[in-house]
Amino acid sequence: MKRLYCYFIFALLLFYGCTREEILDFPKSNVKPQLVAIGFLTPGDSIHIYLGSTVPFGQAKELPDTYVRNAKVHISEDNGKSIPLTLSSSTLPIYSCSQQDLPIKKGKSYHLHAVAANFQEVKAKTTVPNEKAVWNSAGFTYNSSSGIEFQGSWHPLQDEQEIDYSVYLYRTKEPSDILFGNEGIIKNKDEYTIKRDIYFNNDAQAVLMTRTKAMGAFSKMAELNNEVRWSYADAAFYDVISAFKGILPSYSNIENGVGVFGSYLLDVKTFKP
């Protein structure tokens, strides 16, 4: 299944939110923008890395002004084999390569290196999960209170130290963001279950994602930040301040920068009309 582009995820780093205005003694001159790198690897799909720039507090910019399109980006294996990525979009800072050049395999580790003028070189590492969780059950039910409900379950993998799970549902003609999918998952004694109200039951896919802890932590952070952004859509700041400062989590596994470099495996169940 073709993995969705992840470039739009970067917009979540520029969310809005505040409760009152504060005057802060903030040393703007000592704050330099950092590279934002976002990318996820999975076997069988092309590799795409988004590169942007952070926006220091008080220096509001339009999203296109944060694009970094002059970088050198490489993905390498533990054995030292390195493949350069090239810009694959005429408008967005997406750097890509084919898995014919660098096959992504279960259980293997991969390294990201990116450097651009006026930025520190950023580095990150991800290890693809050894195995994936699979649907034990998945289907739709009807009830009098909420209408259509999706229900599913899967057995936990033996080693969960470095992975977690997410579930996302979408119509195949209307794909949704793969970054989200944390809602409704409950761990029972010997299985995970999920229940989620939905608005369709035909021509749909239920996707169970086994992902690295890094990807999971970033996903939960982004999901919460997005909720705050929509709840305070009239605010005009790029940073969460006041009551939210220190409450909203932050996560990045990018050395000398921010963002996430993760990997995942999918188990997909398709429902036809």
Side-chain angles (χ1 to χ4, degrees):
M1 168 177 136
K2 184 67 177 177
R3 179 170 62 82
L4 305 179
Y5 271 154
C6 64
Y7 58 81
F8 55 87
I9 299 171
F10 171 71
L12 297 172
L13 299 176
L14 304 178
F15 59 86
Y16 297 85
C18 72
T19 56
R20 63 181 180 273
E21 184 176 353
E22 292 183 350
I23 298 176
L24 304 175
D25 184 13
F26 196 80
K28 296 180 182 178
S29 60
N30 295 330
V31 177
K32 294 182 179 181
Q34 292 180 297
L35 280 178
V36 177
I38 300 175
F40 310 117
L41 307 182
T42 192
D45 199 2
S46 297
I47 297 169
H48 305 290
I49 303 295
Y50 178 102
L51 277 189
S53 168
T54 58
V55 179
F57 183 86
Q59 301 179 22
K61 294 182 179 181
E62 296 295 327
L63 185 59
D65 294 333
T66 68
Y67 294 165
V68 176
R69 297 175 52 83
N70 61 345
K72 294 182 179 180
V73 184
H74 289 78
I75 300 290
S76 60
E77 298 177 326
D78 278 340
N79 62 12
K81 180 182 179 181
S82 180
I83 297 296
L85 279 63
T86 58
L87 276 171
S88 59
S89 170
S90 60
T91 57
L92 296 164
I94 306 294
Y95 296 79
S96 305
C97 75
S98 168
Q99 288 205 20
Q100 292 181 347
D101 300 320
L102 185 68
I104 304 300
K105 297 181 179 180
K106 296 179 182 179
K108 282 198 170 185
S109 296
Y110 300 89
H111 304 263
L112 169 67
H113 302 266
V115 62
N118 302 317
F119 293 95
Q120 283 188 286
E121 179 183 8
V122 298
K123 302 177 182 179
K125 176 183 177 180
T126 186
T127 301
V128 182
N130 281 305
E131 58 178 325
K132 67 180 182 181
V134 296
W135 286 115
N136 183 40
S137 64
F140 300 97
T141 61
Y142 295 85
N143 57 62
S144 57
S145 59
S146 59
I148 304 172
E149 182 181 69
F150 174 79
Q151 296 185 5
S153 67
W154 64 93
H155 295 300
L157 299 178
Q158 288 187 346
D159 184 7
E160 293 185 329
Q161 184 176 355
E162 299 297 332
I163 59 97
D164 72 359
Y165 313 99
S166 70
V167 173
Y168 64 99
L169 309 167
Y170 65 89
R171 300 187 190 213
T172 53
K173 294 182 180 179
E174 299 177 12
S176 298
D177 186 352
I178 68 170
L179 184 61
F180 301 142
N182 305 299
E183 177 188 353
I185 297 176
I186 299 174
K187 185 175 184 179
N188 299 309
K189 183 177 180 180
D190 57 353
E191 70 174 0
Y192 285 86
T193 62
I194 181 171
K195 291 184 179 181
R196 191 178 298 170
D197 293 338
I198 59 172
Y199 304 100
F200 59 88
N201 69 329
N202 294 326
D203 190 24
Q205 289 185 329
V207 181
L208 174 56
M209 176 185 289
T210 304
R211 61 191 180 182
T212 55
K213 288 286 190 183
M215 188 173 176
F218 190 85
S219 168
K220 293 166 186 174
M221 176 202 74
E223 201 164 75
L224 180 57
N225 288 349
N226 202 43
E227 290 178 6
V228 172
R229 176 194 172 198
W230 287 111
S231 297
Y232 295 87
D234 293 333
F237 294 91
Y238 280 96
D239 198 12
V240 174
I241 60 173
S242 301
F244 290 117
K245 199 68 175 180
I247 297 176
L248 290 177
S250 60
Y251 180 81
S252 171
N253 68 337
I254 305 296
E255 183 181 342
N256 299 324
V258 296
V260 63
F261 183 53
S263 50
Y264 63 93
L265 302 173
L266 299 179
D267 186 52
V268 182
K269 187 173 180 61
T270 301
F271 300 90
K272 294 295 184 180

